[in-house]
Amino acid sequence: MARFLRTKSLYYNDVNLIASKGFVVSRKLVPRELHRIIVAPMMAICGSVLVHKACELGITIILPRFCPVEEELRLFKEIKNKSPHVWCAIGLKEPQRVEALLKAGCRNFLLDVANGYSEITLKFLAEFVRKNDIDKIMA
């Protein structure tokens, strides 16, 4: 069941990554949970070849919404049984896209909006989670 995190959001200027001495002597020793790379949901990046390669590597994939819904569905159907790390991007005003993706079996969604803190976004998320059988949602 999806849940909302009620913590302060972090923005680009809030986070500084400072390199430190590593403990890993071989890539084979990197803990699996640190392998969380996400493919950006952009059509220029997320084509069929990359999506399949990302599946092979265990990389999380978010399929883009700025394409015809048929294209997002085609990619989702090609890879949904190959990887548990497949997400689909949706917008606030795309009920046909959402319905088609749910019908195809998508259970992980990215609400791709510019202002994730806005009231309309919060209302959409609450209603979306209440009405649909989903595993995870990210906004």
Side-chain angles (χ1 to χ4, degrees):
M1 167 64 97
R3 64 186 176 94
F4 291 105
L5 299 178
R6 301 272 183 212
T7 58
K8 179 187 182 296
S9 296
L10 294 176
Y11 294 91
Y12 180 80
N13 291 335
D14 295 329
V15 180
N16 288 308
L17 300 176
I18 300 171
S20 63
K21 184 177 178 182
F23 64 89
V24 179
V25 294
S26 167
R27 284 184 284 194
K28 293 178 183 175
L29 300 176
V30 174
R32 189 71 180 152
E33 62 270 11
L34 296 181
H35 289 230
R36 194 51 51 218
I37 297 171
I38 300 175
V39 174
M42 299 167 56
M43 279 308 296
I45 295 170
C46 217
S48 188
V49 173
L50 178 74
V51 164
H52 286 278
K53 188 62 176 176
C55 281
E56 289 174 27
L57 296 172
I59 295 173
T60 297
I61 303 151
I62 303 176
L63 300 175
R65 75 178 183 98
F66 292 107
C67 64
V69 66
E70 296 79 18
E71 178 66 9
E72 190 174 10
L73 280 168
R74 183 185 66 74
L75 287 171
F76 177 75
K77 289 175 182 178
E78 282 182 18
I79 62 171
K80 70 179 180 179
N81 295 322
K82 297 179 183 178
S83 172
H85 308 295
V86 179
W87 296 59
C88 290
I90 58 172
L92 288 171
K93 298 174 183 173
E94 299 180 304
Q96 296 86 0
R97 179 180 298 270
V98 171
E99 185 62 35
L101 291 166
L102 285 164
K103 186 175 180 181
C106 183
R107 295 296 176 263
N108 300 319
F109 291 91
L110 164 70
L111 180 59
D112 189 359
V113 295
N115 299 306
Y117 53 83
S118 68
E119 191 63 32
I120 191 169
T121 299
L122 297 174
K123 285 180 181 178
F124 175 91
L125 288 168
E127 187 70 8
F128 184 75
V129 169
R130 185 183 68 74
K131 288 171 88 173
N132 298 295
D133 178 25
I134 62 170
D135 291 336
K136 298 177 187 128
I137 187 159
M138 179 179 3

